[in-house]
Amino acid sequence: MKTKFLILFSLIFLQTSCKADQQKINGISFVASRSAIDSKHVKPVLEVNGNYVALMPFGFFRDLKNPNIIYNSSRQWFGETKKGLAHYAKEFQKSKVKIMVKPQLWISRGLYTGFLEMETEENWKTLEKSYEKFILDYALIAEETKADILCIGTELEKFVAKRPQYWNQLIIKIKKIYKGKLTYAANWDEFKRVPFWNQLDYIGVDAYFPLSDKKTPSVLDFENGWKSHKKEIQKIQRKFNKPILFTEYGYRSIDFTGKKPWESDRVVGNVNFEAQANATQAIYNQFWKEDWFAGGFIWKWFHNHEKSGGEKNNRFTPQNKPTEVLLKKLYKSTNR
């Protein structure tokens, strides 16, 4: 009886210790730029207590029906290429900042990637071959740079739904190259239908859930808006027994920022720093202290910090706004 008690006590102690030692991912979505970076560009990330950055090389489609991905081109910005990714990773790792490699796709005129769908089997096969080459190339760089997480896709709802067997085989191929942790960035209205969460390490969600119709919601308004969504997130978390990772989260500093947080195409709108800060505080309150929540990557952060954001900016970045000061406080309080 005494032996059983000691074993049970040891297991409980081990589990508790592991939970206590797990640091939250206080992540920054670091935008690729035209140029190389150095410690000057890393410093502002450290100052807000970021311990991870998402680095985002890009591939491009000419339109929704074109199956060929153009990437690592001399016409792209440096940070969007394979060489740029490796350089950015090295610069951040010098300061002990961990890396998520998050290759993304851009369709001409900014069309939503979730609508990417081919009309013929021939074009589906071409797309599959093109995407495999794209993601395996970046899986290799993720392995070579010792990146901590690889995101295998971002908001590709129709591609995933229509070709599930392809994605199952692709994940097997990725794992032969990259030995770190894997996730997929599902859109907020997609994550419940992703068929391959059991093959990944994190359930990735781009967390642009609608929360409030008010012009300037309070923190409590935002938290009330999270209630139904949080229940759905927890259901999926329990089903697959995987931690939730907000592969993107964030809010524009604009009136009605909680109504349709995913909207980014229209620049018009009154600047509203209070709404952005309240939304950021609320998402932190609701998720960062949950054992099943791994953390998240705020959208988004530009390399030229002194020229980014500011008092006239109504976009997503928290830079040079009250939300940057808040983020520093929130991220510091998580991993003491």
Side-chain angles (χ1 to χ4, degrees), residues 77-106:
W77 285 6
F78 176 70
E80 296 174 344
T81 65
K82 294 195 288 186
K83 184 177 180 181
L85 170 64
H87 164 74
Y88 278 29
K90 182 178 179 181
E91 289 302 313
F92 276 105
Q93 288 168 334
K94 287 178 183 177
S95 297
K96 309 299 183 185
V97 177
K98 296 182 179 180
I99 307 298
M100 177 170 75
V101 173
K102 189 169 178 273
Q104 297 195 191
L105 299 178
W106 179 265

Side-chain angles (χ1 to χ4, degrees), residues 114-128:
F115 296 150
L116 185 67
E117 182 179 15
M118 299 297 106
E119 294 178 335
T120 67
E121 182 64 19
E122 180 182 3
N123 278 357
W124 271 120
K125 292 293 186 183
T126 302
L127 172 61
E128 290 174 348

Side-chain angles (χ1 to χ4, degrees), residues 186-217:
N187 198 29
W188 68 272
D189 58 353
E190 172 197 2
F191 76 99
K192 291 182 283 188
R193 299 184 296 280
V194 173
F196 48 70
W197 289 135
N198 61 331
Q199 298 184 60
L200 307 182
D201 299 286
Y202 299 105
I203 296 171
V205 183
D206 285 356
Y208 302 113
F209 295 85
L211 301 174
S212 174
D213 290 340
K214 293 183 178 181
K215 180 180 177 180
T216 308

Side-chain angles (χ1 to χ4, degrees), residues 117-164:
E117 182 179 15
M118 299 297 106
E119 294 178 335
T120 67
E121 182 64 19
E122 180 182 3
N123 278 357
W124 271 120
K125 292 293 186 183
T126 302
L127 172 61
E128 290 174 348
K129 184 176 180 181
S130 185
Y131 192 82
E132 179 180 313
K133 186 176 186 304
F134 170 72
I135 200 65
L136 292 184
D137 272 359
Y138 283 110
L140 180 59
I141 296 175
E143 178 65 20
E144 290 173 347
T145 59
K146 296 182 174 17
D148 300 88
I149 306 172
L150 171 64
C151 183
I152 67 171
T154 297
E155 298 178 7
L156 297 172
E157 182 173 2
K158 287 195 173 181
F159 190 1
V160 169
K162 299 282 186 179
R163 312 297 282 192

